Amino acid sequence: MSLLTLLPFIVLIGAMFLMTRSAKKKQQQAVDMRNQMQPGSGVRTIGGVYATVKEVHEDTVLVDAGPGVELLFAKNAIGAVLTDDEYNRIVHGVEHDLKSDADIVPDDASSLTETDDSAADSGADDKAVDLGKKDAADEPAGDDAPADDTPAAEAKTDAEPKKTDGGSEAK
């Protein structure tokens, strides 16, 4: 056999070796992480439960998931051991490392729509604009508007197109 025919098999074996090596490395890191657990550490289980470690045994971990809630998990069920800051941020909502207030995006768009003082002093009309559709009955009757029982009002309503249910009357 020539080296050229064996080259694909050599590449395949090399790729399998590298994949198993990285999988073993990740598995060893997970074992080391689980062995670093101590009482008081914050953990996340593979099911997504955040809790504090109370006791660590050989194959099991007793965790406190809340007031009066103690759970016993297998060590393999611990997905991550969290740092104190990360645990407090996730569970209690405590933020310790806010860099500056300038980086925070507001929850509303009020800061985007604020006007400067010169536009406010120029007499800009701050009245809210109603963009809703008004019915003829909702409109106030003024001097130029006819009353509802006059023939002009009937002519006005006849001039407006009527809504149909989709059927056609023309044949």
Side-chain angles (χ1 to χ4, degrees):
M1 295 231 165
S2 71
L3 185 63
L4 191 58
T5 57
L6 293 177
L7 187 63
F9 294 112
I10 294 171
V11 169
L12 184 64
I13 291 171
M16 287 177 31
F17 173 74
L18 291 175
M19 284 190 283
T20 57
R21 181 174 160 215
S22 67
K24 285 182 183 179
K25 187 176 180 182
K26 286 181 183 179
Q27 189 177 22
Q28 184 61 39
Q29 286 176 346
V31 169
D32 291 341
M33 179 249 335
R34 291 183 185 114
N35 288 335
Q36 291 176 354
M37 280 188 294
Q38 299 173 357
S41 299
V43 294
R44 182 185 68 234
T45 66
I46 58 173
V49 176
Y50 289 93
T52 305
V53 176
K54 285 189 85 173
E55 297 176 9
V56 179
H57 302 286
E58 192 169 322
D59 293 332
T60 60
V61 178
L62 182 67
V63 297
D64 183 20
V69 180
E70 292 181 353
L71 304 169
L72 185 66
F73 283 100
K75 271 191 175 179
N76 295 350
I78 303 300
V81 177
L82 307 172
T83 62
D84 290 338
D85 288 338
E86 185 178 7
Y87 181 77
N88 287 331
R89 181 183 58 82
I90 293 170
V91 175
H92 303 295
V94 177
E95 291 285 337
H96 287 297
D97 27 321
L98 291 175
K99 293 181 178 73
S100 71
D101 292 340
D103 295 341
I104 297 175
V105 177
D107 290 339
D108 59 353
S110 63
S111 64
L112 301 175
T113 58
E114 289 178 356
T115 58
D116 57 342
D117 292 336
S118 63
D121 292 340
S122 66
D125 190 13
D126 291 340
K127 190 190 312 182
V129 177
D130 184 20
L131 299 177
K133 187 174 181 181
K134 293 183 180 180
D135 293 343
D138 292 342
E139 292 180 11
D143 294 336
D144 58 338
D148 289 339
D149 57 343
T150 62
E154 292 173 6
K156 182 179 177 183
T157 58
D158 289 340
E160 293 178 9
K162 295 182 179 179
K163 294 182 181 177
T164 61
D165 59 353
S168 175
E169 296 177 356
K171 292 186 180 182

